[in-house]
Amino acid sequence: MSHTENNKIVFFGTPEFAVESLNALLETGHNVAAVVTMPDKIAGRGHKLIESDVKKYAVSKGLRLLQPVNLKDENFLKELREIDASLFVIIAFRMLPKSVWQMPPLGTFNLHASLLPKYRGAAPINRAVMNGDTETGVTTFFLQHEIDTGDIIEQKKIKILPEDNVGTVYDRLMKLGAGMVVSTVDKIFDGSVTSSPQPSGEYTPAPKIFAEDCILHWNNKAESIHNQVRGLSPYPGARCSARMASHAPMEIKVFSTSLTDMKADDAYPGCVRISDGHLYVACADMYIELLELQPSGKKRMPASAFLLGYTPEQFIVNEDN
């Protein structure tokens, strides 16, 4: 498909999730006149400059790149106006000022990784899995002032399977979303686009993941803990602490668990059972099996390998960290 010169797009995005859609636009012949991404960050012990995934991809394709510190900066706005794009596409960026999103004549649309109005906010995939949802999806919508509230253009659903974690759902939504971005752009450019307001008063917030969201509380029910682990794996990882037989209390990340049919009526939350290389922890109602862990300062490992080096005596409830 070829697209005329005046159908220019400016693409705004930062992480890997956005790269898939940017690549899809280029592969379908769309004219991406510029890419806007976050400034490089200094991070890590070596104080290295970290470039966003979108920047690395844009540079590899020779695309024009803008990295404004301030989105209201007059020089940046002038540069954007001079590009004279007819459409802006936003994926996993930051909140845009009105002076930016109102600029292109065909509007500005966003790809969001949920079925809006459900899960407005920064962590929709994590929250859907953590809450034990069995479906989610992607939405394209025209930007309005309030975050994630604009008129819906397209939506597609996927199932969240019992064996899914946030990583596997992320990968499927990233691919599904890329196809929907191309479809939305095509409809906007050929004039066939339609959109409808989100239902008023119906929404679920999806705030970003904070450190306290990662702490496992063993006095919750096993299914709730299992979903919390799934919704935080592989990143940033659920956390807990355990008292060890021959070590100081240890911080542990948990990446994978399995529900059991073992009732925990006779045990207090955090109580440990070890059997044939399997590690079980009592929750409010049932025992849960820990399958993959990462002791502080070590690599991820299966529970059987963990038990070769450590003997946990109790997982600490409501630890303060």
Side-chain angles (χ1 to χ4, degrees), residues 209-268:
I209 301 296
F210 293 97
E212 56 265 31
D213 294 314
C214 299
I215 296 172
L216 295 176
H217 295 283
W218 302 104
N219 44 10
N220 288 338
K221 290 188 172 178
E223 187 174 6
S224 169
I225 289 173
H226 177 63
N227 289 334
Q228 184 183 359
V229 170
R230 292 167 64 219
L232 296 167
S233 179
Y235 182 81
R239 301 191 289 121
C240 57
S241 295
R243 294 197 179 96
M244 313 301 286
S246 54
H247 298 79
M250 177 179 284
E251 175 100 354
I252 296 168
K253 280 190 174 183
V254 180
F255 291 99
S256 178
T257 55
S258 179
L259 296 170
T260 75
D261 55 7
M262 292 158 47
K263 284 192 163 58
D265 300 343
D266 57 338
Y268 48 83

Side-chain angles (χ1 to χ4, degrees), residues 21 24-25 89 91 109-115 137-141 152-157 173-188:
S21 292
L25 286 171
V89 178
I91 303 172
F109 81 84
N110 183 263
L111 172 71
H112 187 72
S114 81
L115 298 170
V138 283
T139 304
T140 51
F141 67 95
I152 290 170
I153 305 166
E154 291 190 71
Q155 282 191 327
K156 285 186 178 169
K157 294 180 181 181
L173 290 180
M174 183 168 68
K175 290 177 170 55
L176 185 68
M180 206 167 74
V181 164
V182 171
S183 151
T184 298
V185 168
D186 287 343
K187 286 174 181 171
I188 291 171

Side-chain angles (χ1 to χ4, degrees), residues 47-315:
H47 297 290
K48 290 180 181 164
L49 269 184
I50 306 294
E51 300 176 334
S52 77
D53 290 324
V54 163
K55 176 181 177 175
K56 289 176 192 166
Y57 178 85
V59 168
S60 78
K61 296 293 181 184
L63 298 172
R64 180 174 179 181
L65 188 69
L66 307 177
Q67 291 182 273
V69 173
N70 178 1
L71 295 171
K72 294 180 179 176
D73 179 79
E74 197 43 56
N75 290 328
F76 168 64
L77 294 175
K78 179 170 178 284
E79 200 170 357
L80 263 189
R81 279 192 293 269
E82 286 171 353
I83 292 166
D84 194 28
S86 50
L87 178 67
F88 290 173
V89 178
I90 319 295
I91 303 172
F93 193 58
R94 49 187 162 149
M95 198 163 170
L96 290 178
K98 199 171 179 179
S99 54
V100 172
W101 60 260
Q102 279 199 334
M103 195 180 291
L106 295 180
T108 295
F109 81 84
N110 183 263
L111 172 71
H112 187 72
S114 81
L115 298 170
L116 288 172
K118 202 164 189 187
Y119 298 121
R120 289 179 186 160
I125 310 176
N126 299 86
R127 298 291 177 185
V129 180
M130 288 169 81
N131 289 343
D133 290 7
T134 55
E135 71 170 20
T136 185
V138 283
T139 304
T140 51
F141 67 95
F142 283 115
L143 242 64
Q144 288 179 359
H145 183 63
E146 296 295 325
I147 198 157
D148 297 338
T149 59
D151 290 0
I152 290 170
I153 305 166
E154 291 190 71
Q155 282 191 327
K156 285 186 178 169
K157 294 180 181 181
I158 62 162
K159 293 259 186 291
I160 300 177
L161 306 171
E163 63 270 22
D164 273 325
N165 62 22
V166 73
T168 56
V169 177
Y170 177 101
D171 288 345
R172 292 210 301 284
L173 290 180
M174 183 168 68
K175 290 177 170 55
L176 185 68
M180 206 167 74
V181 164
V182 171
S183 151
T184 298
V185 168
D186 287 343
K187 286 174 181 171
I188 291 171
F189 282 160
D190 70 20
S192 68
V193 70
T194 58
S195 62
S196 54
Q198 294 185 34
S200 61
E202 294 179 33
Y203 78 95
T204 315
K208 75 177 200 173
I209 301 296
F210 293 97
E212 56 265 31
D213 294 314
C214 299
I215 296 172
L216 295 176
H217 295 283
W218 302 104
N219 44 10
N220 288 338
K221 290 188 172 178
E223 187 174 6
S224 169
I225 289 173
H226 177 63
N227 289 334
Q228 184 183 359
V229 170
R230 292 167 64 219
L232 296 167
S233 179
Y235 182 81
R239 301 191 289 121
C240 57
S241 295
R243 294 197 179 96
M244 313 301 286
S246 54
H247 298 79
M250 177 179 284
E251 175 100 354
I252 296 168
K253 280 190 174 183
V254 180
F255 291 99
S256 178
T257 55
S258 179
L259 296 170
T260 75
D261 55 7
M262 292 158 47
K263 284 192 163 58
D265 300 343
D266 57 338
Y268 48 83
C271 183
V272 172
R273 281 178 66 169
I274 297 169
S275 171
D276 295 330
H278 294 267
L279 173 57
Y280 304 95
V281 184
C283 308
D285 54 347
M286 311 287 282
Y287 278 91
I288 195 168
E289 183 176 3
L290 307 192
L291 299 177
E292 194 177 9
L293 310 93
Q294 183 175 14
S296 182
K298 304 288 184 184
K299 290 184 175 170
R300 282 170 65 164
M301 60 185 75
S304 53
F306 173 79
L307 291 172
L308 292 175
Y310 305 100
T311 308
E313 292 186 327
Q314 184 198 348
F315 281 79

